[in-house]
Amino acid sequence: MKKVLVLGAGQLARMMDLAGSPLNMDVKAFDVRTNKVVHPLAPELIYGDLTDGINNADVITAEFEHVAHDTLAQCEASGKLLPSSQAIKIGGDRRLEKALLENCQVANAKHVIIDSKADFDKAIAALNLPIIFKSALEGYDGKGQWRLKSAEQAEQIWQEMYDFIAQSQASVPQGIVAEQMVPFERELSLVGARSTTGEIAVYPLTENHHTNGILSVSLAAPVCQSLQTQAHKVFTKLTEKLDYVGILAIEFFQVGEQLLVNEIAPRVHNSGHWTQQGTDTCQFENHLRAICGLPLGNTELNRPTAMINIIGEDSVPTDVLATPSVTMHWYEKEKRAGRKMGHINISGNTQAELAQRLNAVAQLLDPKAFPEVAHFAAQYQENQN
């Protein structure tokens, strides 16, 4: 039995545990809020502190990239951490991320690193409006971002960013990355795995729709093979450069026939939840296979599948389950506005069938709780006609 310790005790650790059980894996989670090792499905069960967790684990991994550096160092010293602490740090710091992309000659948005007011002024001079400013650390789900659309906003945005930097609780200095806004056609992501032996397996490109900065719908359906090949090459470049082990997610902007990397996530990813019903081997199982030295599972798309995020709601109409090939995944969290509470996976044997089912489910959901989902579903169904 392989014993796995996950840094973080949220829904991703929970789903890793569910995927690991059939493989005879014992998955525990380190709750960074309490500094205790807990059971991912029953956090009231405590198994000691981080030192105990490290000693009892065969391999250590992470469910999020914003792990305190001293925690990463302690885990790295054990020789059990996969992916490496450097890979996790890169996913949590946009400055390191941009340096990796440039070093690998991977296309991404034109950008400027900002550490001072002089850098801010330089960025405005070097980039064309509109410009998006992103915090180097602690930025996720649309947080820590500012959009400069006119020169008149500059001073106000600089003051907001200055205050944000001053209030940072991060273990390393906060900073800002200024990016040229990209007029993209759609947002895509690629989730893939690389094993301890260097074996690579990637899932199909996924189309993502965000609402208020948070992923609301992911759609996995056949895409242009040239785009898939392009994304696969980027995945191979980055993971081989990092000697990466585990699941890595890469978010792209599609601009014509070119993919620009938006950001990377060194972990299982929200846009890969559809793999639970759309593939033979879901991302959670393949992450565990990768870090535990097992052969990777099949990542081919079995059937077109979509995922709807459940944000800030602890229930949905039961009629949703009357639609064929609908699977609910609840995280057993306390209801809170903006919180990811669960997700719904929907599959069809064809894109037309998936579109019909996605639209049927969307019509049952509260439009206030699931804004833009019905519009996305209707548009997808119209495209299949």
Side-chain angles (χ1 to χ4, degrees), residues 315-329:
S315 66
V316 296
T318 55
D319 286 352
V320 164
L321 294 173
T323 301
S325 298
V326 166
T327 308
M328 299 294 308
H329 297 268

Side-chain angles (χ1 to χ4, degrees), residues 318-377:
T318 55
D319 286 352
V320 164
L321 294 173
T323 301
S325 298
V326 166
T327 308
M328 299 294 308
H329 297 268
W330 288 105
Y331 308 153
E332 296 188 2
K333 289 182 175 181
E334 184 178 341
K335 182 177 179 178
R336 190 171 71 211
R339 194 178 202 185
K340 293 175 181 175
M341 302 290 292
H343 66 273
I344 307 168
N345 281 343
I346 307 159
S347 299
N349 292 315
T350 64
Q351 287 203 67
E353 188 172 62
L354 171 59
Q356 185 273 324
R357 291 173 178 175
L358 178 60
N359 200 40
V361 169
Q363 295 303 316
L364 295 170
L365 300 174
D366 180 355
K368 292 182 179 179
F370 296 85
E372 301 183 29
V373 171
H375 175 72
F376 179 90

Side-chain angles (χ1 to χ4, degrees), residues 4-231:
V4 179
L5 178 66
V6 181
L7 302 178
Q11 68 266 20
L12 302 180
R14 171 188 176 86
M15 286 183 273
M16 275 190 256
D17 182 44
L18 291 170
S21 182
L23 292 174
N24 194 32
M25 292 183 182
D26 177 15
V27 179
K28 297 292 191 299
F30 175 63
D31 190 333
V32 297
R33 297 166 300 176
T34 63
N35 293 318
K36 298 295 181 184
V37 176
V38 301
H39 193 288
L41 302 182
E44 66 275 9
L45 300 178
I46 298 174
Y47 302 90
D49 60 13
L50 179 59
T51 300
D52 296 321
I54 292 171
N55 290 338
N56 291 326
D58 296 312
V59 63
I60 305 166
T61 193
E63 70 153 11
F64 73 119
E65 51 269 53
H66 303 290
V67 181
H69 286 194
D70 57 346
T71 298
L72 289 175
Q74 187 177 349
C75 293
E76 187 100 294
S78 72
K80 301 175 181 180
L81 182 64
L82 293 172
S84 69
S85 64
Q86 182 61 15
I88 295 170
K89 289 175 183 176
I90 287 172
D93 189 328
R94 295 186 196 278
R95 294 164 296 195
L96 299 178
E97 182 180 75
K98 290 295 187 185
L100 171 67
L101 297 176
E102 294 298 314
N103 187 263
C104 291
Q105 297 182 321
V106 169
N108 64 99
K110 187 178 178 182
H111 59 275
V112 175
I113 307 299
I114 296 176
D115 292 313
S116 65
K117 180 62 162 61
D119 292 333
F120 177 75
D121 294 336
K122 187 186 302 181
I124 295 176
L127 305 175
N128 297 322
L129 297 180
I131 301 169
I132 183 167
F133 298 90
K134 302 177 180 179
S135 62
L137 309 166
E138 302 171 328
Y140 59 94
D141 289 343
K143 298 176 183 177
Q145 296 188 8
W146 300 263
R147 287 169 171 77
L148 178 65
K149 298 178 181 178
S150 66
E152 290 74 24
Q153 299 173 287
E155 285 306 315
Q156 178 187 342
I157 286 179
W158 166 251
Q159 190 58 52
E160 290 177 5
M161 290 193 299
Y162 180 84
D163 293 341
F164 179 86
I165 292 172
Q167 295 166 10
S168 174
Q169 301 295 312
S171 55
V172 296
Q174 178 64 276
I176 301 291
V177 176
E179 287 186 1
Q180 186 75 67
M181 289 278 278
V182 175
F184 59 89
E185 295 168 30
R186 56 179 178 163
E187 296 180 63
L188 300 169
S189 63
L190 184 83
V191 172
R194 185 175 184 270
S195 73
T196 54
T197 64
E199 178 189 5
I200 286 176
V202 302
Y203 293 93
L205 276 168
T206 304
E207 180 177 348
N208 300 314
H209 179 76
H210 292 76
T211 304
N212 300 322
I214 302 177
L215 180 64
S216 54
V217 184
S218 285
L219 172 66
V223 298
C224 171
Q225 189 55 48
S226 64
L227 290 177
Q228 182 73 28
T229 300
Q230 192 179 150

Side-chain angles (χ1 to χ4, degrees), residues 207 219 351 355 376-385:
E207 180 177 348
L219 172 66
Q351 287 203 67
F376 179 90
Q379 192 172 49
Y380 177 50
Q381 187 167 26
E382 183 178 331
N383 291 340
Q384 303 312 308
N385 295 333

